């Protein structure tokens, strides 16, 4: 499931991912990103993983399509989590986006929020 989080900037799409993601979750996420892109500006993504179990097969495909569609749209992506595989995932995704992507352990959540809002 994808829940939206409140950000003080319309340039930041902030979400919490929990449980297992499904196709419907990407149909929720896409309009959030499109709304942030409406002025032709790059956006930033704050993604917090909370008891996250991964993607079903359709959502894994959706994630690949989403990443391809928004290859140049993101300026920064902050990933907050508490699993080693999430940190590795950030390293693996870097070649597939022009965004600056950083992983933050859960205890560094304030630093992730500060970084994603820096210089806005």
């Amino acid at each position: 499931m994808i829940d939206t989080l409140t950000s003080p900037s319309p340039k930041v799409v902030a979400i919490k991912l929990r449980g297992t993601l499904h196709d419907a979750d990407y149909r929720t996420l896409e309009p959030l990103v499109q709304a942030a892109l409406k002025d032709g500006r790059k956006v930033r993504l704050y993604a917090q993983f909370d008891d996250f179990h991964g993607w079903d097969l359709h959502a894994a495909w959706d994630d690949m399509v989403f990443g391809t569609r928004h290859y140049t749209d993101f300026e920064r992506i902050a990933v907050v989590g508490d699993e080693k595989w999430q940190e590795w995932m950030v390293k693996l995704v870097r070649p597939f986006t022009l965004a600056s992507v950083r992983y933050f352990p859960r205890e560094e959540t304030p630093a992730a929020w500060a970084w994603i809002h820096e210089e806005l």
Side-chain angles (χ1 to χ4, degrees), residues 37 43-44 54-55 85 96 99:
L37 288 168
V43 297
R44 296 178 180 190
W55 301 259
W85 70 265
F96 301 101

Side-chain angles (χ1 to χ4, degrees), residues 52-120:
F52 183 67
H53 301 271
W55 301 259
D56 69 15
L57 188 56
H58 196 167
W61 175 258
D62 291 338
D63 192 64
M64 186 178 71
V65 170
F66 179 84
T68 302
R69 179 179 299 130
H70 296 294
Y71 176 77
T72 62
D73 293 336
F74 291 106
E75 179 180 31
R76 290 184 181 188
I77 300 172
V79 175
V80 177
D82 52 12
E83 300 286 339
K84 194 67 173 170
W85 70 265
Q86 294 162 349
E87 184 176 1
W88 280 99
M89 181 185 66
V90 167
K91 293 175 183 176
L92 290 173
V93 77
R94 284 187 180 132
F96 301 101
T97 181
L98 294 179
S100 176
V101 185
R102 285 186 56 189
Y103 173 80
F104 296 85
R106 176 137 354 257
E107 62 270 8
E108 294 179 21
T109 297
W113 277 108
W115 181 75
I116 208 70
H117 289 96
E118 186 179 81
E119 300 172 6
L120 281 179

